[in-house]
Structures are given as structure tokens and as C-alpha cells.
Amino acid sequence: MNDPMIGRRSLLRGAGGLAALAALPSLSACGTGTSRAASGGGKGGSKTVIVRDSGGAFGEALQKAVYTPFTKETGISVQVTNLQGTQMLAQIKQGRPQFDLINNSMMDHAKFVGQGALETLDLDRIKSLKSAKLPEHLVTDHSVAASFYAQCMAYRTDAFGGRKPQSWADFWDTKAFKGARSMCNPEADLPELEFALMADGVPMDKLYPLDVDRAFKVLTRLRSDVKKFWDSGPLPGMLLSRQEVTMSTVWHGRLADLLKQGVPVAAQLNGARRQYQGFGIAKGAAHVDAAYQLIDYSLRPEVLANLATAYPTNPASPVAYTKITDEVRNKLAGAPQYYDKGFDADLDWWIKNEAAVTKRWLEWARG
């Protein structure tokens, strides 16, 4: 799975699953994933940093906007691996990680911290934190956020006679907004309990702790209208473009390709759920200094802006948006006019409850 939004799914569900996995023998025989090295000249080409990222189109954008210019500036070669979470943990537990820097979700970083798998960061070595002006909650002792993705609703603009759904209550209203729906399977992302609660009138700033019983009651009201629970990033767009559904939850960045193809779709960012991804240094990393230098470079507002221009990801730095063209910025969920319409997923709540909620969701979906 080479999708930037699904790095968190490369790990077992819940901290308990990680603990059990970490006790297993080495998984290095599973392979180290695909690798690529940054090209370009620069000083001191013998220096290296090995980064784990999720690959795919996002990995290509990282190569273009971050790794290659970093190498040209510093002379540090960037090698990339697409290891899955279980493989990373096994290597770290053996004290021989074949990577230095981990680009992954902040939720997975938090789970790794619980396994003692990340180095404690010396934030004074990340000079760009000052210029990036990251919100305090996105800078932890073991990881720093670089970007986020937004999960929201998408709808066909030709389906409702010119009317536009404005809220999750509209998503649930299949009389006023007719047609089938699609929502995500936990194989794709966190169960969408927050959306159900907002559809039932819970204010966005009062969602947590989630009322799980209430959320499942609301989900049940829509269950018969859900044609497909999507388990991969492209699927919502396929269902919308084939007119199999009129509305779906979706990773917002996925709509860019549909719009380029002329598919009549739009996003509604009211009540969008944000999840952040960023950097952590593997415990026992061999190239710690180079890892710090790459983090520092990656968090420069102008570099984050370049990455957002190359791929529809949303910088965690508010300063980066001032360095993006109006055309690009207005298509991002993180643009100033959209940001306050969404909310951050409560990672502490989800880490404690994800396994139980996912188990219940799977039982609920089977009927």
C-alpha cells in the first residue's frame, strides 16, 4: 500500500497488537521494501541518511521537493525504504534498524514511543521549528508533524439539482440528498464515529471523548444506504465517477485527480477530520546527525510549500501557506478559509480505544 494517507495502517491495530508483534522473532526476512536514492551533486556525497516513507506518488513528490534539493544543499545522500510497521519494529527491537528517519503518522509515532522505538528528540537541533511556527501540540518529545490529511465528504455536483450538502446531517439525509453512500472500512482509516456524532447534532468541539454507543446507533440509521465500505484511497473516487454513489467520505487530496479528469465532484470540508504525519528518529539509528538535518530542512516553510505544490498535502506550518500560490493554496484543506471548519483527531483517545472500536465496527458491519 503506497499511499501517504495510509501509513498508519501498516501497523497492527492498537498498541496491544504492536506489543505482541514486537515479541516475535526477526521479520527482516520479509524484505526491506523498495529503495531509491536522491540524485544530485553537492558536498560530501559519502554522507547518507536512510528514510522510511510510504512511497507511491507521495514518495515521488518527496523525492522531487525535499530529498533531491536537500542532497544538493548538504551533500547528504538520501536513501529511501518503504518498510511496513512490523518490519520496522522488529529491526529496532534487535538494535539494528536499517533506516534512520521515519516519515509516518503521528499516531503511529505515538505507538512506537510506547514500544521504546523512537529516540528522544533534541528540539534545539531542529532550527526550522522557529520559522515554521508549528502549533505546540504538533511538537512532541519524540516526533514533529510536517503535514496533515483531511477526511471529509465528497459528492457529485450533478446529483441534487444544484443543492450542496453542508453538513454530516446532510450526508445522513437520504431523502433530501438521494442516492447511495460510501464510508471507510477500518482497513483504510479510523472508523468514522465523529462524522456520525456530528450528524446527530454533537458540536465539533464537543466530540471527545466519543460516545461510542451513540455513534453506532447513528451509523445503523445509514447502514442500508451504504453501498460500499471503501478500503483503499482510490475507491471513493471510482464509486463517485461511476455514479454508484452520490456521496462518499474521502481523503480530500484524492479529489484532485478526479477534478482534472472532469468528474463533477466537490468536497464539503465542514466537519473534516485531520490527521497529522511527520518525523521520528528510529531508536539506534546509525545516521542521527543527518536525520536531524533532513528534519530541519523538511520543516522549512518554503520546503513545505514546495511539497504542497508537488502533491496535495497540507503543511502543518501556517507560515508555509503564505509561500504557496493562491491557485494551489485554495485547493488545500489546510488553506486559511477551510482550516477552522475541521478538527484534529484526538490521538490519545484513539490509541486507547482503536482496537475495541475496530472490533465492534467489524461485528456491526457483518450485521
Side-chain angles (χ1 to χ4, degrees), residues 15-300:
L18 287 175
L21 203 287
L24 294 177
S26 169
L27 294 182
S28 58
C30 295
T32 59
T34 59
S35 297
R36 59 187 184 276
S39 60
K43 301 168 291 183
S46 62
K47 295 183 290 184
T48 300
V49 61
I50 304 173
V51 184
R52 181 273 170 197
D53 67 35
S54 57
F58 186 54
E60 294 173 3
L62 285 168
Q63 187 75 68
K64 175 182 177 181
V66 183
Y67 303 153
T68 295
F70 170 76
T71 296
K72 289 180 177 178
E73 178 175 305
T74 67
I76 299 173
S77 172
V78 180
Q79 297 180 4
V80 180
T81 182
N82 307 136
L83 286 166
Q84 299 300 304
T86 52
Q87 295 169 298
M88 287 192 286
L89 266 183
Q91 290 184 14
I92 292 170
K93 290 296 182 180
Q94 292 172 3
R96 298 190 299 274
Q98 298 172 26
F99 51 93
D100 308 298
L101 187 60
I102 303 171
N103 185 328
N104 210 347
S105 76
M106 294 296 281
M107 185 169 180
D108 280 349
H109 285 319
K111 291 178 180 179
F112 266 39
V113 170
Q115 295 299 312
L118 294 184
E119 295 282 356
T120 299
L121 293 177
D122 180 353
L123 297 177
D124 289 337
R125 298 177 70 174
I126 308 174
K127 305 300 183 183
S128 58
L129 281 177
K130 184 176 181 180
S131 61
K133 297 183 180 180
L134 294 181
E136 288 184 8
H137 71 287
L138 300 182
V139 180
T140 77
D141 290 339
H142 298 86
S143 60
V144 292
S147 61
F148 74 83
Y149 69 92
Q151 198 163 340
C152 63
M153 79 169 77
Y155 62 94
R156 287 194 62 96
T157 57
D158 59 355
F160 312 121
R163 288 175 302 140
K164 301 177 181 180
Q166 298 296 320
S167 67
W168 288 108
D170 290 341
F171 189 91
W172 257 255
D173 188 350
T174 56
K175 292 182 179 179
F177 295 91
K178 297 183 183 299
R181 306 292 196 255
S182 181
M183 298 184 73
C184 86
N185 185 305
E187 284 298 311
D189 211 320
L190 296 171
E192 295 167 329
L193 270 58
E194 295 96 334
F195 303 158
L197 291 171
M198 284 186 284
D200 203 40
V202 178
M204 191 170 65
D205 61 350
K206 303 293 184 183
L207 286 169
Y208 299 100
L210 300 181
D211 186 333
V212 176
D213 290 338
R214 181 176 177 180
F216 274 99
K217 287 180 181 177
V218 181
L219 285 170
T220 298
R221 296 207 309 258
L222 191 65
R223 177 68 182 86
S224 62
D225 295 293
V226 177
K227 180 169 185 175
K228 176 71 176 179
F229 290 105
W230 54 272
D231 56 6
S232 66
L235 188 52
M238 293 171 59
L239 295 170
L240 286 163
S241 62
R242 294 195 300 239
Q243 301 188 57
E244 294 185 37
V245 302
T246 58
M247 278 198 232
S248 179
T249 59
V250 67
W251 292 322
H252 181 257
R254 282 287 181 175
L255 295 180
D257 286 340
L258 293 181
L259 292 170
K260 288 179 183 178
Q261 297 164 19
V263 180
V265 294
Q268 176 51 262
L269 287 165
N270 286 335
R273 182 174 68 185
R274 293 187 292 263
Q275 293 188 67
Y276 287 82
Q277 55 197 70
F279 300 104
I281 298 177
K283 194 77 170 180
H287 308 103
V288 172
D289 184 65
Y292 271 110
Q293 290 186 64
L294 184 51
I295 295 174
D296 183 53
Y297 181 87
S298 299
L299 292 180
R300 294 179 187 174

